[in-house]
Amino acid sequence: MKAVPLRHPGQWIAAAVVVIVVVLFVYGAATNGAYRWDTYAKYLFDNRILSGVGYTLALTVLAMIIAIILGVVLAVMRLSPNPVLRYTAWVYLWIFRGTPVYVQLVFWGLFPSIYKQIDLGIPFSVQFVHFDIQDWNAAFLFAVVGLALNEAAYMAEIVRAGVSSVGEGQSEASVALGMSWSQTMRRTVLPQAMRVIIPPTGNELISMLKTTSLVAAVPFSLELYGRARDISGVNFQPIPLLMVASTWYLVVTSVLMVGQFYLERHYSKGASRQMTARQLKALAAAQNAPLGSGVAVEGESDERR
């Protein structure tokens, strides 16, 4: 019999409608003078904009590194049998997940006004270190800390979900081998949990890139959106400068998405549902073998070996 594929005229009609809408939108944007494409081209590779991209990447990378490390620590504390560690981590998550990140950044901007100086030492006796916070000009530092502490609360839940996805038998086997609880987490559970942790972590990284536009609350205005806003405040053309900032956000986000794809594929090795050529050959042999011949299909046991 000759197989005739089903026809789907609705798909072709929907595709044609989408193409028409996109063409009309592009034509309208190209002919609309409000976009000021000449200004857009002028500032797309401006040194101030490129500097803002650099600061945005620095904020994103530093904040995510701190957030991942702190998030792993908090997740381990949440899963710890120690009630003090468990409830301390819960309170941290309750505070930083329960308040908006913009409000937290405003507090970090007011940190020198709240704590004018910090003294480290033995209370009421010896003072080892003295910091005069009001003398600091560290808006970038406060921006990184504010973003990292907020993101750590979400990373802790992502790591906890990844750890919970690992079967209990893995932990029991590690304990049977004489490993302590911390060794079990570090050597057995966390490496296997990476397959579940990586996808949402990539999403959080992309979200962090866009959240850096809120650090004006610190205040810190040298990142990408702050630079575009400062330029538009001078030439009174906010629309093309918003398009410039959006373009660079899209470029960086696209690069991060490609990196996330390859990282996910790396940690998904051995977890694919596609059968290998050897497994297909064994399956065909099993199907052609007579009933009760004892032919077995080579499955996941070979993959694990």
Side-chain angles (χ1 to χ4, degrees), residues 255-273:
V255 174
L256 293 178
M257 291 175 66
V258 172
Q260 177 185 352
F261 168 78
Y262 285 104
L263 195 60
E264 287 182 21
R265 192 170 70 174
H266 172 75
Y267 281 102
S268 296
K269 291 179 179 178
S272 175
R273 297 182 180 180

Side-chain angles (χ1 to χ4, degrees), residues 22 35 54 91 94 108 140 175 177 179 191 195 201 204 214 220 230 254 256 260 286:
V22 171
Y35 284 99
V91 171
W94 173 61
W108 281 106
F140 180 82
V175 173
L177 292 173
M179 293 186 184
R195 183 170 60 88
T201 301
E204 290 297 318
L214 300 178
F220 182 78
D230 293 342
S254 301
L256 293 178
Q260 177 185 352

Side-chain angles (χ1 to χ4, degrees), residues 75-95:
V76 173
M77 291 172 63
R78 284 290 310 273
L79 298 170
S80 172
N82 188 329
V84 177
L85 296 178
R86 191 166 61 249
Y87 286 113
T88 301
W90 184 87
V91 171
Y92 181 96
L93 268 62
W94 173 61
I95 294 174

Side-chain angles (χ1 to χ4, degrees), residues 153-267:
Y154 296 93
M155 284 303 307
E157 290 299 281
I158 291 173
V159 174
R160 187 171 68 90
V163 170
S164 300
S165 68
V166 179
E168 294 182 0
Q170 300 293 321
S171 302
E172 294 173 355
S174 299
V175 173
L177 292 173
M179 293 186 184
S180 64
W181 182 83
S182 60
Q183 289 176 328
T184 300
M185 293 295 296
R186 187 174 64 255
R187 299 180 180 179
T188 304
V189 177
L190 284 177
Q192 297 184 63
M194 290 300 293
R195 183 170 60 88
V196 179
I197 293 173
I198 289 298
T201 301
N203 293 335
E204 290 297 318
L205 177 63
I206 294 173
S207 178
M208 174 65 73
L209 175 73
K210 295 175 287 188
T211 307
T212 56
S213 61
L214 300 178
V215 296
V218 173
F220 182 78
S221 60
L222 297 180
E223 42 76 43
L224 176 57
Y225 176 70
R227 286 295 197 179
R229 186 182 63 249
D230 293 342
I231 295 174
S232 64
V234 175
N235 61 13
F236 301 103
Q237 298 181 23
I239 296 177
L241 269 303
L242 285 176
M243 296 292 293
V244 169
S246 300
T247 300
W248 280 109
Y249 280 124
L250 284 173
V251 169
V252 178
T253 300
S254 301
V255 174
L256 293 178
M257 291 175 66
V258 172
Q260 177 185 352
F261 168 78
Y262 285 104
L263 195 60
E264 287 182 21
R265 192 170 70 174
H266 172 75
Y267 281 102

